[in-house]
Each structure stands twice: as C-alpha cells, then as structure tokens.
C-alpha cells in the first residue's frame, strides 16, 4: 500500500513538472509574439523616409525620397539635381542649397506621415490660406456648375472680411455664421444659400482628404433646403405677353428669355444651346447642371423665337455676360411697368407654374424640366394651389 502511494506521488510530481514546463513555453512564445507584433507596428508607424541620389545619363545626380512603412516601398523624385564634382564655388553653393531644399522636403514628408498615423493636422497646414486652397479647387474643377463654387467663394470672402483666412480659423462656429450670413443676405434668396453652402461643404470635404483638416468643421452644420418659390417670382401669361410687346435693348436677350419661358431651360443651357440641339419641333440636349438628357417639344412661339437657323455648331442666342443680361432684363421689365423680379430663373419657374395652371400633369412637367425626382416639381404644385387660394380670397364678400 505504501509503495502504491509513492508511485502515485511520483507520477503526480512528473505531471506537475510537465504542465509547468508547457505553461512556461507558452508564456515565452506569447511574449515573443507580442514583441514581434509591437515591433512591426512601431516600424510601420515610424515611416522611414531617406534622401537618396541616382546618377543620370547626363552625369548629374537626381535626388529622390525612398519611403518604407514596414510593408511597402515608394519613391518620389524631387526634380532636384546636383553636380557630381563641383568645379567652382558657384556649383558648390548650388549643391548646398539644393541639398538643404531636399532635406526640408524630406522632413516635411516625414512630419506628414507621422501626422497621418496619429490623426493630427500639421501646424504648417493650419496656416494655409483657405481662400487660396478654394481657388485652386475651382481651377481643377471640370464640371459645369463651377460658377456655383466661384459664387460661394465670393460670398465667403464677403463674410470673412479679410484676404487671409487660415484653415485653423475655419471652425464650426465660423461655418454656422457663414450659413446664417447667406440666409440674411439681400442678394440671395430661395435655394441659393443652400446651393452655395453645399459647394462650400464639398470643398471642405476635399480639404479633409488633403489633410488640411482632421474632419470637416461644417460636418454638423445644418444646411436645410428652403422651399421658396413665391408668387411674386412667377410671371403670368398676361405679363409675358406684355413683355413680348415691349421694346428690349437686346433682341438676343429678349428672344432667349421668352424662349426659356416657353421651354423651362436653365440659363446655363440657353447660353450653350446650339442649332444641332434643334430637331424639327423638338429640342434635345444634355443639361449642364445634372448631366441628364432632356427632350422638349417646341410650341409655335418657341419655334418663332429661334430665329433664322445657323450652322450646327453655332449658338442659337449670342448673349452678353451674366451681369449684362441682368441689366438688360431690369431695363426691359421696368419699361413694361412690371415690378416683379425678372431673371432666367424666374423664366423657368414661370414655365413650370403656367403649365400646372393650365392643368398639365405633374409627371409631364417634371420630365420637361429635366428633374431627377418628382419631389423637385411638387413645390410648383404648392405655388399653384397658393395662387388659386389668393384668387379666391380676392373675390368680394357677399352679404347674406
């Protein structure tokens, strides 16, 4: 019995030794794995950017940056060159200044890499003039609504009241103030403040991608679309007839405006309308704003307003600048005795509203306007209902 207990104790000690040994091996393995993982992460975070030289066929040395983040290697050639064997003091000075410039670039790239890893905007980017950045964005923007960005920048300058706007000054409160400023601006109405602020927010999003901001300061700023197509901005058929009979200082502006009242084309589309877009009694073109095709049947009035047909690539209406057009329209409507606002945007509103007044269905109106959704057309339905209610309210009361 004593022998049995001794054997059992022996096996128990051996088993305990084996388990302890396995635990020790596992702990050592875990420690080594964590050390290797941490080292790799540190290597990745601390991106190594080296300044290197490459000998060209001409004999000069080309400077480039060799970047390694622990996983991928990238090269950036700086277009800076050194003399391999400087012959005089001038060439030596050139090499010295060039190396200093290249080293500054290398240090800046390293700072940017460290900032990206830690979600930090570098101090030098906080001092960038946001106006300059906005202008560069506009220069590189290729779509047709580029004028909207330019207008947004113009009102941003007016709001900021300065020629230098540091990115660090573009805060959430600044963005809120800019939105409120446009809402109260006497020259802006309807959806214009919404549109301009939307462009401003789009530039800020790109600035985030370009690391000027860690996140957009306008991200949480509300930009509500105002449904504001009021009756005073609608020209009735009678008022259009009055304009048609009134002398206008520029016949092209007159014909283009009345054409827009009969087709609903935006100013940007009227301006680029060419004879190749006219097919008999219909108009087929791609809208500048949306990029969507639109087909509009031309009534007899619209066809007469086109005038004598020209070459396919010629514009139908030769118009002055946008400012010049506004001056002509203002003079014209004043001469006709109208006090309402008269712009190409009003022409589009008038086209839609008059169609609905004459009981055209909403879906057809939406198609003619080139709207992407019936939601955009519903505002004109509400305008017509309001006009009908006002007409009823103008009836004299009958005493009972």
């Amino acid at each position: 019995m004593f022998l049995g207990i001794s054997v059992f104790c022996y096996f128990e000690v051996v088993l305990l030794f084996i388990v302890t040994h396995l635990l020790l091996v596992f702990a050592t393995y875990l420690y080594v794995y964590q050390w290797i993982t941490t080292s790799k992460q540190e290597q990745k975070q601390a991106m190594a950017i080296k300044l290197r030289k490459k000998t060209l066929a001409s004999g000069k040395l080309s400077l480039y940056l060799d970047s390694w983040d622990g996983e991928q290697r990238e090269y950036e050639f700086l277009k800076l060159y050194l003399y391999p064997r400087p012959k005089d003091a001038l060439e030596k000075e050139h090499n010295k200044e060039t190396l200093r410039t290249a080293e500054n670039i290398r240090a800046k790239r390293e700072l940017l890499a460290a900032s990206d890893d830690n979600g930090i905007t570098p101090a030098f980017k906080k001092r960038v003039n946001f106006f300059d950045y906005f202008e560069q964005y506009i220069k590189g923007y290729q779509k047709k609504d580029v004028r909207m960005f330019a207008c947004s920048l113009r009102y941003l300058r007016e709001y900021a009241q300065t020629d230098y706007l540091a990115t660090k000054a573009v805060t959430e409160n600044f963005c809120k103030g800019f939105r409120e400023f446009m809402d109260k601006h006497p020259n802006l109405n309807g959806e214009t403040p919404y549109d301009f602020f939307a462009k401003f927010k789009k530039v800020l999003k790109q600035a985030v991608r370009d690391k000027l901001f860690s996140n957009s300061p306008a991200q949480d700023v509300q930009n509500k679309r105002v449904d504001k197509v009021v009756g005073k901005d609608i020209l009735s058929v009678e008022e259009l007839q009055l304009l048609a009979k009134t002398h206008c200082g520029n016949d092209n502006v007159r014909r283009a405006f009345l054409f827009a009242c009969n087709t609903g084309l935006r100013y940007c589309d009227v301006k680029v309308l060419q004879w190749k877009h006219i097919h008999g009694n219909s108009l087929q073109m791609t809208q500048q704003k949306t990029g969507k095709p639109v087909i509009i049947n031309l009534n007899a009035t619209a066809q007469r307003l086109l005038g004598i047909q020209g070459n396919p690539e010629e514009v139908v209406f030769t118009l002055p600048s946008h400012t010049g057009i506004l001056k002509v329209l203002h003079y014209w409507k004043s001469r006709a005795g109208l006090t309402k606002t008269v712009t190409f945007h009003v022409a589009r509103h008038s086209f839609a509203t008059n169609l609905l007044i004459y009981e055209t269905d909403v879906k057809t109106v939406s198609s003619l306007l080139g709207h992407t959704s019936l939601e955009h057309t519903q505002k004109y339905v509400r305008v017509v209902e309001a006009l009908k209610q006002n007409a009823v309210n103008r009836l004299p009361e009958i005493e009972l």
Side-chain angles (χ1 to χ4, degrees):
M1 182 178 179
F2 178 77
L3 180 61
I5 294 172
S6 298
V7 171
F8 176 77
C9 290
Y10 173 76
F11 279 109
E12 189 177 45
V13 170
V14 171
L15 181 62
L16 182 63
F17 173 78
I18 292 172
V19 170
T20 304
H21 181 71
L22 288 174
L23 287 173
L24 183 62
V25 170
F26 178 73
T28 303
Y29 170 79
L30 186 63
Y31 172 79
V32 171
Y33 175 77
Q34 288 178 338
W35 180 80
I36 292 172
T37 303
T38 304
S39 297
K40 284 185 176 181
Q41 289 176 345
E42 288 176 349
Q43 285 177 355
K44 186 176 179 179
Q45 289 178 354
M47 177 182 279
I49 301 179
K50 304 290 185 182
L51 179 62
R52 302 193 187 282
K53 304 170 186 175
K54 179 182 179 180
T55 304
L56 302 178
S58 62
K60 284 191 174 182
L61 300 176
S62 173
L63 297 177
Y64 69 96
L65 298 179
D66 179 358
S67 306
W68 171 253
D69 63 1
E71 293 182 356
Q72 187 176 359
R73 187 176 298 280
E74 292 182 357
Y75 301 105
E76 179 186 357
F77 287 87
L78 304 179
K79 296 183 180 180
L80 297 174
Y81 308 98
L82 300 177
Y83 292 103
R85 297 182 184 83
K87 298 177 182 178
D88 51 37
L90 191 62
E91 291 187 356
K92 288 181 181 179
E93 184 63 25
H94 166 85
N95 282 5
K96 184 178 177 181
E97 290 297 324
T98 303
L99 281 171
R100 184 183 292 118
T101 301
E103 180 56 34
N104 285 339
I105 295 173
R106 188 205 65 78
K108 190 173 287 189
R109 296 289 188 275
E110 203 163 64
L111 174 61
L112 282 173
S115 299
D116 289 347
D117 288 340
N118 295 283
I120 299 170
T121 302
F124 76 91
K125 283 201 170 185
K126 292 181 180 180
R127 295 191 295 270
V128 170
N129 187 349
F130 187 68
F131 290 144
D132 292 341
Y133 178 83
F134 206 139
E135 287 178 350
Q136 289 302 314
Y137 179 92
I138 292 172
K139 287 179 181 177
Y141 192 77
Q142 300 297 321
K143 294 184 179 179
K144 301 297 183 181
D145 59 342
V146 65
R147 191 174 68 87
M148 299 283 282
F149 285 92
C151 290
S152 177
L153 175 58
R154 179 161 64 88
Y155 283 101
L156 180 65
R157 288 183 182 277
E158 187 178 332
Y159 167 66
Q161 293 289 301
T162 181
D163 293 328
Y164 172 76
L165 179 63
T167 51
K168 64 180 180 181
V170 184
T171 62
E172 183 174 331
N173 285 335
F174 177 90
C175 296
K176 284 180 180 177
F178 179 43
R179 184 64 176 87
E180 292 169 1
F181 167 80
M182 288 196 292
D183 271 336
K184 297 174 182 176
H185 200 286
N187 296 336
L188 301 177
N189 52 55
E191 295 183 354
T192 305
Y194 168 86
D195 291 333
F196 287 176
F197 194 74
K199 303 306 180 189
F200 171 67
K201 291 184 78 170
K202 190 171 183 178
V203 175
L204 285 176
K205 282 185 179 180
Q206 183 59 47
V208 172
R209 289 191 283 269
D210 290 337
K211 310 300 181 185
L212 262 67
F213 301 94
S214 54
N215 51 62
S216 173
Q219 181 176 329
D220 297 324
V221 179
Q222 288 191 342
N223 186 30
K224 292 184 178 180
R225 187 187 295 272
V226 179
D227 186 4
K228 191 176 181 182
V229 184
V230 293
K232 70 176 183 179
D233 289 331
I234 303 301
L235 295 174
S236 66
V237 174
E238 292 75 20
E239 287 167 329
L240 290 174
Q241 184 66 61
L242 181 61
L243 276 174
K245 291 181 177 180
T246 303
H247 172 74
C248 179
N250 187 310
D251 187 59
N252 271 283
V253 172
R254 170 185 169 275
R255 290 189 300 110
F257 177 81
L258 292 174
F259 185 80
C261 291
N262 281 272
T263 59
L265 284 186
R266 298 180 181 88
Y267 164 71
C268 57
D269 293 324
V270 173
K271 185 174 65 173
V272 298
L273 180 66
Q274 296 176 320
W275 286 106
K276 67 181 180 182
H277 299 134
I278 308 300
H279 302 273
N281 62 348
S282 70
L283 179 157
Q284 301 176 30
M285 70 183 305
T286 300
Q287 297 175 99
Q288 300 288 301
K289 182 179 179 181
T290 64
K292 304 288 184 182
V294 64
I295 300 175
I296 301 172
N297 292 326
L298 302 177
N299 59 26
T301 302
Q303 291 180 55
R304 286 197 302 271
L305 289 167
L306 288 171
I308 300 173
Q309 185 169 348
N311 296 324
E313 299 297 325
E314 288 181 354
V315 293
V316 176
F317 306 107
T318 305
L319 300 172
S321 67
H322 188 254
T323 303
I325 289 173
L326 292 178
K327 288 180 179 178
V328 172
L329 291 176
H330 180 75
Y331 170 79
W332 186 28
K333 67 108 175 181
S334 298
R335 192 180 180 91
L338 296 179
T339 57
K340 291 182 178 180
T341 301
V342 175
T343 64
F344 271 88
H345 204 52
V346 169
R348 182 172 168 82
H349 290 332
S350 301
F351 171 73
T353 307
N354 286 325
L355 281 178
L356 290 169
I357 288 174
Y358 284 88
E359 299 183 350
T360 308
D361 67 276
V362 178
K363 191 172 181 180
T364 300
V365 175
S366 180
S367 175
L368 290 171
L369 291 173
H371 283 165
T372 55
S373 167
L374 283 176
E375 180 185 348
H376 299 302
T377 318
Q378 287 296 332
K379 60 187 176 183
Y380 297 108
V381 176
R382 292 191 285 275
V383 170
V384 171
E385 292 302 319
L387 289 173
K388 288 180 179 179
Q389 186 61 52
N390 289 337
V392 171
N393 291 340
R394 284 198 294 270
L395 289 173
E397 290 189 25
I398 299 175
E399 294 184 10
L400 301 175

